[in-house]
Amino acid sequence: MRADFLGIPIDLLTFDETVSTAVDAMLMRKPTQHVAVNVAKLVRARHDPELRRDVVESHIIGIDGMGIVWGARALGISVPHRVPGVDLMERLLEVCAAHDFRPYLLGARKKVLERAIVNSLYRWPGLSFAGYRDGYFTPEEEESVVEDIRFASPHCLFIGMPTPQKERFLHKYRDVLQVPFIMGVGGGIDVLAGHVKRAPEIFQKTGLEWLYRTYQEPRRMWWRYASTNAQFAGLLGKEVIARALGRRAGMSEQREGKA
């Protein structure tokens, strides 16, 4: 089920439903693209027409971030829970190991990527990668990267590149890649490598994972979160007020009609 939240569509799927959809895509080799939406991406998509297009055109628009969950619920949208992109990627790698699906990792620096591969093979015995490539390639090298992925014929592709780079790449090459399931994982490859640590569970459940990320990378993250969180709070506040006023106006009209 899909709902509109502050002008951006979101899919009201549970974690298990999302995993099931991804597995079905790999089994049937049905092209399916997943995009994870958090507060930062939602705010940016409202001002970036190309990013909004890239999000809207995805087959699954997952909710990655407690801010989206709480905001949607405040507007009466029944969100079951968030589906963290890193958790989804790790579950699907586990599934790949169990069902002989072959994933492909694209993104991160070469040494980080190689460590992620080693760690993944250790965590999920039996896992076999179709291939991998770091995310530092030039526009002139794009076609060779795409050709390498096509030749490897993976069941799923995880792209660990920043927004909107990965969205632009997928918009341009999604149909050419011919990969059943594709998802952007942001810094997920860094997490697999142990280069970046996940926030403690208490931070994740209370919606403060962004604060932990800022603590880890203050120079890069503080302004991003400060600006987008403030904009998101403003957008949500305006929508809550607008709906409250709309309901009040509707009630007044009903009273006048009865009179």
Side-chain angles (χ1 to χ4, degrees), residues 182-193:
I182 301 175
M183 70 174 289
V185 295
I189 295 176
D190 295 82
V191 174
L192 284 178

Side-chain angles (χ1 to χ4, degrees), residues 41 107 123 171 187 212 220 223:
K41 186 174 291 185
R123 286 182 64 182
H171 175 75
Y212 188 82
R220 189 170 75 90
W223 175 247

Side-chain angles (χ1 to χ4, degrees), residues 7-82:
I8 301 296
I10 53 175
D11 287 319
L12 310 181
L13 297 173
T14 66
F15 185 86
D16 289 341
E17 288 170 341
T18 307
V19 171
S20 179
T21 302
V23 172
D24 287 345
M26 289 187 275
L27 285 170
M28 297 183 291
R29 298 201 70 84
K30 177 184 177 182
T32 302
Q33 180 184 344
H34 175 283
V35 63
V37 175
N38 55 22
V39 166
K41 186 174 291 185
L42 182 142
V43 169
R44 188 166 184 173
R46 286 175 57 91
H47 305 290
D48 183 338
E50 289 187 333
L51 178 58
R52 188 183 189 285
R53 174 204 63 200
D54 298 339
V55 170
V56 171
E57 290 182 356
S58 297
H59 302 96
I60 305 173
I61 305 175
I63 302 171
D64 183 358
M66 287 304 299
I68 303 293
V69 173
W70 291 336
R73 287 175 179 173
L75 298 182
I77 302 173
S78 299
V79 177
H81 51 245
R82 77 182 187 121

Side-chain angles (χ1 to χ4, degrees), residues 152-227:
S153 189
H155 292 84
C156 52
L157 170 64
F158 301 104
I159 303 184
M161 297 191 296
T163 297
Q165 185 180 350
K166 61 180 177 291
E167 287 82 9
R168 297 289 187 273
F169 180 83
L170 285 176
H171 175 75
K172 188 174 182 180
Y173 297 110
R174 182 178 73 180
D175 296 334
V176 180
L177 289 168
Q178 298 180 354
V179 178
F181 182 76
I182 301 175
M183 70 174 289
V185 295
I189 295 176
D190 295 82
V191 174
L192 284 178
H195 185 67
V196 173
K197 293 183 179 180
R198 290 289 304 278
E201 191 171 350
I202 185 65
F203 281 80
Q204 297 180 42
K205 289 184 176 180
T206 56
L208 294 175
E209 195 166 8
W210 64 271
L211 187 61
Y212 188 82
R213 287 288 309 281
T214 303
Y215 168 75
Q216 286 186 302
E217 302 177 89
R219 291 185 179 181
R220 189 170 75 90
M221 306 304 294
W222 81 269
W223 175 247
R224 168 189 164 184
Y225 285 127
S227 59

